[in-house]
Amino acid sequence: GQQVMQIPQYQHVQEGEDFTTYCNSSTTLSNIQWYKQRPGGHPVFLIQLVKSGEVKKQKRLTFQFGEAKKNSSLHITATQTTDVGTYFCAATNTGFQKLVFGTGTRLLVSP
Amino acid sequence: DAGVIQSPRHEVTEMGQEVTLRCKPISGHDYLFWYRQTMMRGLELLIYFNNNVPIDDSGMPEDRFSAKMPNASFSTLKIQPSEPRDSAVYFCASSFSGTKVYGYTFGSGTRLTVV
């Protein structure tokens, strides 16, 4: 079945440093979504990317979809302690409604 | 809207007992999903429904697991009999297909511990 891999699995940064997580698939994706899960919480939808090469920004967060629609990245500029959590990409190649979640990147930010 | 509502929040049960998890999706959403989250396996899709009809249950681990959606506002996930390896956080999520953005809204989850 479809698999979506994320790297790194874990990253510990100092507040103010940048952070990037990468999502990779062996198959072409219809769309990719990103979610954030705070410790002890549930995944919360952040954004959806559909077009090849698409770039979207939400304040300090920048999301990118690869030209071949097989990879994506999430970049956080100047991390804050509120950014702590696990970031998941989720993708589908069989229609919009069956998402396969990536393995997640756990971010820890020290003040 | 109160969001996706799951109950109970926590469940501790003995091996062999029946466990029923409940979910109320967001009103108007036509898709409902059940996921299981563990450290080892991450977020796994168990089953999903469209307009109350099960579409894909290929993720249901065994015959001990069953899910129903009798109406648009209620779904259950049942495990009978439960085993310690079923211990996990079970999430219900819903989404609406009549929009270009298909983000899921997750419930707060049910943390199941089978002892």
Side-chain angles (χ1 to χ4, degrees):
Chain A
Q2 178 185 344
Q3 287 190 324
V4 180
M5 303 303 296
Q6 273 185 261
I7 54 171
Q9 281 189 306
Y10 171 81
Q11 189 151 10
H12 185 179
V13 301
Q14 292 295 122
E15 190 171 25
E17 292 181 338
D18 291 357
F19 160 77
T20 304
T21 174
Y22 301 89
C23 182
N24 297 289
S25 169
S26 57
T27 59
T28 302
L29 304 171
S30 295
N31 76 93
I32 196 155
Q33 300 182 8
W34 285 91
Y35 290 76
K36 177 184 178 181
Q37 184 175 21
R38 293 182 187 275
H42 57 277
V44 174
F45 174 74
L46 295 177
I47 208 160
Q48 175 177 289
L49 305 171
V50 178
K51 299 176 182 177
S52 168
E54 188 170 14
V55 178
K56 288 188 176 180
K57 292 189 177 184
Q58 289 180 350
K59 297 183 181 178
R60 295 178 295 103
L61 277 60
T62 301
F63 305 85
Q64 188 165 0
F65 203 4
E67 292 289 341
K69 300 183 75 173
K70 290 186 176 181
N71 57 73
S72 180
S73 64
L74 158 59
H75 179 82
I76 303 179
T77 303
T79 54
Q80 301 175 359
T81 54
T82 54
D83 295 326
V84 164
T86 300
Y87 292 84
F88 292 96
C89 62
T92 178
N93 62 1
T94 57
F96 282 93
Q97 293 299 340
K98 182 178 176 180
L99 284 179
V100 173
F101 278 77
T103 47
T105 296
R106 183 181 168 201
L107 173 64
L108 183 61
V109 181
S110 294
Chain B
D1 201 322
V4 176
I5 300 173
Q6 290 186 248
S7 64
R9 288 296 307 274
H10 303 273
E11 177 81 36
V12 180
T13 191
E14 291 185 346
M15 182 174 61
Q17 296 297 307
E18 177 180 297
V19 175
T20 299
L21 311 182
R22 297 172 175 80
C23 176
K24 176 180 169 55
I26 289 176
S27 177
H29 280 192
D30 54 344
Y31 279 84
L32 182 139
F33 307 85
W34 283 99
Y35 280 85
R36 178 172 68 176
Q37 186 174 40
T38 60
M39 287 294 292
M40 291 297 294
R41 301 175 69 90
L43 271 165
E44 300 175 276
L45 176 63
L46 299 177
I47 185 172
Y48 76 97
F49 297 82
N50 176 219
N51 292 322
N52 315 337
V53 176
I55 302 301
D56 186 342
D57 66 354
S58 59
M60 296 286 261
E62 300 171 28
D63 290 345
R64 298 185 296 106
F65 285 70
S66 63
K68 294 182 179 179
M69 192 165 186
N71 57 63
S73 59
F74 184 65
S75 177
T76 59
L77 178 67
K78 185 178 294 186
I79 308 173
Q80 166 63 16
S82 58
E83 297 182 2
R85 59 192 168 124
D86 301 331
S87 298
V89 179
Y90 290 81
F91 288 106
C92 174
S94 69
S95 72
F96 176 54
S97 64
T99 175
K100 291 183 179 179
V101 179
Y102 298 91
Y104 292 6
T105 301
F106 280 80
S108 298
T110 294
R111 181 173 294 276
L112 173 65
T113 303
V114 183
V115 298

